[in-house]
Amino acid sequence: MKARVAASIVLALAVAAGTAGCGFIAPQATTKHYDASDGVSGNVGQIDVRNAFIVTDGVGGKVGNLVVSLVNTDSKSHRVAITSGSSGSAAYVTVEPGQVKKIGAQPDKASSSNVFLTPFDALPGSNYDVFFQYADETGVKLQVPVLDGGLPDYKDLVPPTILPAQN
């Protein structure tokens, strides 16, 4: 009788372990980092570069609107230099401590929160090199996807034909 009870317990444990579906063997999808949107991400020291993408008009325009969120996880402000593909000059954006600075959300308004890439010759569907760096931190070069205003969510992010003045 004791052998039968012991065998039943062993069998029950084997069935429970085999059907539990736990992560002893299977890889955990929630532990793998991925970019959940159309953009790409990276880190430069205490600055997190999140969901970076470029919007252009897609019909031979010469301007790209960089759309990105810069997150400062430090207790002091940082002046981030943003350099793109063929351009040798950098655009500078100051990110205050603890701030999430959204760049490019309103391309039709004159603002220091816009970074326009000129000259810009990449077509939608391609990737474009953008370099982020501040102070003496090692920068990060990201292959940023180029999109157009074809989707309703990106229609308002297409840069204007006449750029607003920078503040």
Side-chain angles (χ1 to χ4, degrees), residues 96-147:
E96 300 299 326
Q99 181 183 23
V100 176
K101 180 106 178 195
K102 295 184 180 193
I103 307 296
Q106 297 179 319
D108 55 339
K109 303 231 185 324
S111 170
S112 62
S113 292
N114 287 328
V115 174
F116 296 114
L117 309 176
T118 58
F120 188 75
D121 57 358
L123 295 174
S126 64
N127 290 324
Y128 197 72
D129 289 339
V130 179
F131 188 74
F132 299 86
Q133 196 266 335
Y134 73 90
D136 59 351
E137 291 290 331
T138 301
V140 63
K141 179 171 77 169
L142 298 177
Q143 291 264 303
V144 178
V146 179
L147 308 171

Side-chain angles (χ1 to χ4, degrees), residues 1-10:
M1 184 72 141
K2 289 183 183 184
R4 189 177 270 179
V5 172
S8 296
I9 292 173
V10 169

Side-chain angles (χ1 to χ4, degrees), residues 27-160:
Q28 298 293 310
T30 57
T31 62
K32 298 188 187 302
H33 171 76
Y34 70 97
D35 293 308
S37 185
D38 292 327
V40 295
S41 300
N43 297 319
V44 179
Q46 298 296 312
I47 299 291
D48 297 337
V49 180
R50 296 291 174 251
N51 196 31
F53 60 92
I54 300 168
V55 180
T56 186
D57 66 8
V59 292
K62 302 294 182 211
V63 179
N65 176 28
L66 177 66
V67 180
V68 63
S69 293
L70 301 175
V71 182
N72 186 349
T73 60
D74 204 357
S75 60
K76 58 185 177 180
S77 63
H78 294 291
R79 187 170 181 238
V80 179
I82 302 171
T83 311
S84 66
S86 60
S87 173
S89 62
Y92 293 94
V93 176
T94 301
V95 188
E96 300 299 326
Q99 181 183 23
V100 176
K101 180 106 178 195
K102 295 184 180 193
I103 307 296
Q106 297 179 319
D108 55 339
K109 303 231 185 324
S111 170
S112 62
S113 292
N114 287 328
V115 174
F116 296 114
L117 309 176
T118 58
F120 188 75
D121 57 358
L123 295 174
S126 64
N127 290 324
Y128 197 72
D129 289 339
V130 179
F131 188 74
F132 299 86
Q133 196 266 335
Y134 73 90
D136 59 351
E137 291 290 331
T138 301
V140 63
K141 179 171 77 169
L142 298 177
Q143 291 264 303
V144 178
V146 179
L147 308 171
D148 64 11
L151 292 174
D153 291 343
Y154 301 134
K155 187 173 80 171
D156 294 337
L157 300 175
V158 174

Side-chain angles (χ1 to χ4, degrees), residues 9-23:
I9 292 173
V10 169
L11 180 61
L13 289 174
V15 169
T19 61
C22 58

